[in-house]
Amino acid sequence: MNPGRPKKLTNRINFYPTAEMWLGPHFWQYAKCTKEEALATDFFLEKRDTPHYLYLKCWPEPFTRPDGEQGRMQQRLWKLFFHEDCEWPPGSGTICDEPMYGPPELMPKTS
């Protein structure tokens, strides 16, 4: 599976924007958006605000690719949570549409 690129929040804490997230109250001290802004975002498939965490689901199954539609969703998460961009392949300035790099089992089969 592709957990995405980690965001280093502290020396001990990395955050991975994934297809399904349970965000506790401490997360918001590191995010560049508020919990209310995340709740107002329209690209989540499911949102549950509870007293102990905010559950967000943005993709029907775990991410397996950093490119294409999944890559663009991961990019939306980065922009929402950290006001930063992510790109694939690294250094390209964008998210490519065609599968590029990655483990052989995730690459398209060629004839």
Side-chain angles (χ1 to χ4, degrees), residues 7-15 29-30:
K7 169 70 174 172
K8 187 173 186 167
L9 302 178
T10 71
N11 284 335
R12 294 182 167 176
I13 302 171
N14 284 322
F15 174 74
Q29 68 184 321
Y30 303 106

Side-chain angles (χ1 to χ4, degrees), residues 61-81:
E61 64 265 341
F63 292 134
T64 57
R65 298 290 316 163
D67 44 30
E69 289 182 55
Q70 291 183 41
R72 283 188 286 285
M73 179 56 74
Q74 292 169 64
Q75 188 177 47
R76 284 186 203 109
L77 294 171
W78 271 88
K79 286 180 180 180
L80 171 65
F81 292 138

Side-chain angles (χ1 to χ4, degrees), residues 1-46:
M1 302 299 175
N2 174 49
R5 180 178 59 136
K7 169 70 174 172
K8 187 173 186 167
L9 302 178
T10 71
N11 284 335
R12 294 182 167 176
I13 302 171
N14 284 322
F15 174 74
Y16 292 86
T18 59
E20 227 176 348
M21 296 167 283
W22 291 263
L23 305 174
H26 290 91
F27 171 76
W28 304 105
Q29 68 184 321
Y30 303 106
K32 301 290 185 197
C33 72
T34 64
K35 182 165 107 171
E36 292 71 29
E37 289 171 317
L39 282 166
T41 302
D42 65 357
F43 60 75
F44 290 108
L45 302 174
E46 189 176 342

